[in-house]
Amino acid sequence: MTTDPYSQDGVLKNKFGEKDPKKLEILEKRSTIRGWIKLQNELIATPNLKLDTALIKKIHKNLFEDVYDWAGQYRTVNIVKGKTMFANALYVPAALEDLVTKLNRDITSKSITSNNVSEKLAYYYGELNMIHPFREGNGRTQKIFIEKVADKLGYTLQLEKIDSKKLLEVTIESVNGTGRPLKKAFEEVIVTKHFKSQSEQPHINSKSVTSINVSKNNYDLER
């Protein structure tokens, strides 16, 4: 990636006009926590939630709309991190559409069962990571999306119980080696869904959000 229109002097252009990366990280985290609370309450209140590209873009937009002008928009530049080259920006829209189509086909055909649910969720999580639809915030977006996939299937995927560094490591392993460690990590935190209906699910507010289950795990996965 030779030029990056999203950055200036090594810092992502942002609505705060902040040029210090450390300060931007703090401002971003505060904003995304507020966006996360709003988003979760909207999703809880949405019956028959559609698992599509619009949802993925909505998640990203809600998290980052107070920080970046391009929140909810697919990236237009290619991204390489370490030895990992993510999907070419030109192919992101089509690749993401193909992935969610395949996911919904699996759900409709009931080919995702209690015997393979962790493997399937790990697969779609890894594939979404490789597509890397956005310039920033992919990890946080894909965590929320895959949790909603699990919910649709009748499970609760408690990714906040996985140490953020460990989750990043097994996600990288799924790209460069095998998906078994990611599957194993998912197996350790997936349980049957606690709430049987929409009306039984709690409203989320700032007082119910702790620094452990939001700030550390949900938001530090991937910068």
Side-chain angles (χ1 to χ4, degrees):
M1 185 166 60
T2 55
T3 60
D4 185 0
Y6 297 91
S7 300
Q8 185 172 357
D9 298 325
V11 180
L12 288 172
K13 298 175 184 176
N14 56 88
K15 292 184 176 182
F16 303 111
E18 184 56 64
K19 301 184 184 304
D20 184 316
K22 294 294 184 181
K23 291 181 180 179
L24 175 58
E25 184 176 336
I26 294 172
L27 291 169
E28 182 193 272
K29 184 174 294 185
R30 289 174 180 171
S31 294
T32 52
I33 288 175
R34 289 193 297 269
W36 181 87
I37 295 170
K38 176 184 176 183
L39 173 68
Q40 292 293 346
N41 285 321
E42 287 184 9
L43 297 184
I44 286 172
T46 303
N48 302 318
L49 188 67
K50 292 184 178 180
L51 303 173
D52 55 15
T53 57
L55 175 59
I56 295 173
K57 294 171 76 172
K58 175 184 176 61
I59 292 170
H60 191 271
K61 181 175 176 59
N62 273 255
L63 290 179
F64 299 99
E65 62 184 344
D66 291 335
V67 186
Y68 304 115
D69 288 326
W70 40 266
Q73 300 177 21
Y74 296 142
R75 60 181 166 88
T76 59
V77 296
N78 294 329
I79 296 178
V80 178
K81 291 188 177 181
K83 297 180 180 179
T84 303
M85 178 177 289
F86 298 102
N88 188 297
L90 293 174
Y91 306 134
V92 163
L96 197 59
E97 193 67 52
D98 288 346
L99 185 67
V100 297
T101 297
K102 182 178 180 180
L103 167 63
N104 282 285
R105 188 182 301 124
D106 269 354
I107 293 174
T108 302
S109 66
K110 301 186 184 302
S111 61
I112 302 178
T113 68
S114 58
N115 293 325
N116 66 8
V117 62
S118 295
E119 179 181 2
K120 286 287 190 177
L121 290 175
Y123 166 77
Y124 283 109
Y125 185 88
E127 289 296 299
L128 182 54
N129 177 62
M130 281 305 298
I131 294 173
H132 235 63
F134 311 105
R135 173 60 182 83
E136 166 71 3
N138 292 281
R140 285 159 281 187
T141 301
Q142 68 198 38
K143 285 180 73 174
I144 294 173
F145 180 75
I146 206 68
E147 287 169 349
K148 295 307 172 185
V149 174
D151 184 71
K152 184 86 169 182
L153 293 167
Y155 298 87
T156 297
L157 188 63
Q158 301 172 321
L159 292 180
E160 73 277 2
K161 291 188 175 182
I162 306 177
D163 179 78
S164 58
K165 291 183 179 178
K166 177 184 176 181
L167 183 54
L168 180 57
E169 288 173 0
V170 294
T171 302
I172 292 173
E173 177 65 23
S174 73
V175 173
N176 300 322
T178 172
R180 286 194 295 273
L182 183 59
K183 173 193 171 187
K184 183 178 180 181
F186 276 33
E187 285 177 344
E188 294 173 353
V189 297
I190 190 168
V191 296
T192 54
K193 193 160 55 175
H194 294 298
F195 304 102
K196 296 180 180 180
S197 68
Q198 290 293 128
S199 61
E200 293 181 86
Q201 299 195 44
H203 177 84
I204 298 173
N205 56 56
S206 58
K207 292 182 180 179
S208 68
V209 178
T210 68
S211 59
I212 294 176
N213 66 21
V214 175
S215 298
K216 181 179 178 182
N217 291 298
N218 288 353
Y219 294 94
D220 291 347
L221 172 62
E222 175 241 295
R223 303 304 308 165

